[in-house]
Amino acid sequence: GQQLNQSPQSMFIQEGEDVSMNCTSSSIFNTWLWYKQEPGEGPVLLIALYKAGELTSNGRLTAQFGITRKDSFLNISASIPSDVGIYFCAGPMWSNYQLIWGAGTKLIIKP
Amino acid sequence: DAGVIQSPRHEVTEMGQEVTLRCKPISGHDYLFWYRQTMMRGLELLIYFNNNVPIDDSGMPEDRFSAKMPNASFSTLKIQPSEPRDSAVYFCASSLNSNAEAFFGQGTRLTVV
């Protein structure tokens, strides 16, 4: 079945560093979604991508929909302490609106 | 809009008791999803509704779990009887028709002792 492989699993970075994470799939997706989850909260949608090659920014966040439609990446520039959390990629299955989820990338910022 | 509203935020119950989780989706959203999140298994889709009708409940772990959506603004997820392995965070999410962007509630942390 469809699966999303998200990497890295976790990242330990210094404040101010740039961050990059990605998701790959063996299947084609028409939509890529990036969510962030903070402790004790539900996932919050950060960026939605709908077209192959699309590059979209949301403040210091930038995400791209891969040309092959089988991958996407999320970059965070100049990280700050509030960027801490788990970042998930997700995409809907072809047959319905059921989202397939990556396992998440846990971002930890060293003081 | 206040977003997706779930209640209670926390629930502690004894094994064997019935548990009911509640969700109010975003007004106008046609799809409602119930997810379970654990450290071991991540986010799992349990069931989803379209226009109040259950579409796919293949993720519901067993017959002890049931979900209803009596109207467009309310859904429940019930576990009867509850077991310790049901301990998890349960999320409700909703989305617009033809739009895959799901918006999540804050979740209910369930602990079954």
Side-chain angles (χ1 to χ4, degrees):
Chain A
Q2 291 177 292
Q3 289 185 328
L4 293 183
N5 299 307
Q6 188 171 351
S7 65
Q9 189 173 16
S10 59
M11 303 183 73
F12 294 79
I13 63 166
Q14 296 277 5
E15 183 178 349
E17 285 185 23
D18 295 343
V19 171
S20 184
M21 61 192 77
N22 68 83
C23 257
T24 61
S25 170
S26 57
S27 305
I28 289 173
F29 280 83
N30 282 332
T31 300
W32 283 95
L33 307 175
W34 284 95
Y35 285 83
K36 179 189 178 187
Q37 186 176 22
E38 297 183 9
E41 301 293 331
V44 174
L45 183 64
L46 298 174
I47 292 178
L49 302 162
Y50 294 102
K51 200 161 60 170
E54 180 181 355
L55 186 72
T56 298
S57 293
N58 178 3
R60 293 177 296 105
L61 276 61
T62 302
Q64 184 157 29
F65 194 145
I67 289 291
T68 65
R69 292 160 67 191
K70 292 183 178 181
D71 62 342
S72 176
F73 72 74
L74 175 70
N75 286 345
I76 306 172
S77 62
S79 59
I80 60 177
S82 62
D83 291 333
V84 164
I86 303 176
Y87 292 80
F88 293 97
C89 61
M93 292 177 67
W94 276 100
S95 56
N96 54 40
Y97 288 100
Q98 180 176 338
L99 286 176
I100 305 297
W101 292 82
T105 295
K106 188 172 186 178
L107 181 61
I108 300 166
I109 297 180
K110 292 181 264 189
Chain B
D1 199 311
V4 176
I5 299 173
Q6 291 186 246
S7 64
R9 288 294 311 272
H10 303 275
E11 177 81 36
V12 180
T13 191
E14 290 186 345
M15 183 173 63
Q17 295 297 307
E18 177 180 293
V19 174
T20 300
L21 312 181
R22 297 173 175 80
C23 175
K24 181 182 187 314
I26 293 173
S27 177
H29 280 191
D30 297 282
Y31 287 82
L32 183 140
F33 307 86
W34 281 102
Y35 284 89
R36 178 172 68 178
Q37 187 177 40
T38 61
M39 289 291 290
M40 291 296 294
R41 301 171 70 92
L43 268 168
E44 302 174 277
L45 179 67
L46 301 177
I47 185 171
Y48 77 94
F49 296 81
N50 177 215
N51 290 321
N52 313 338
V53 176
I55 302 301
D56 186 349
D57 65 354
S58 59
M60 296 285 259
E62 44 196 278
D63 292 346
R64 297 184 297 106
F65 286 68
S66 63
K68 293 181 180 179
M69 192 165 185
N71 56 62
S73 59
F74 183 66
S75 177
T76 59
L77 177 68
K78 188 175 291 187
I79 308 173
Q80 165 63 19
S82 58
E83 297 182 2
R85 60 193 168 119
D86 301 331
S87 297
V89 182
Y90 291 81
F91 288 105
C92 175
S94 69
S95 68
L96 279 173
N97 190 23
S98 76
N99 186 327
E101 300 174 18
F103 294 84
F104 283 74
Q106 290 185 298
T108 296
R109 180 174 292 277
L110 174 65
T111 304
V112 183
V113 298

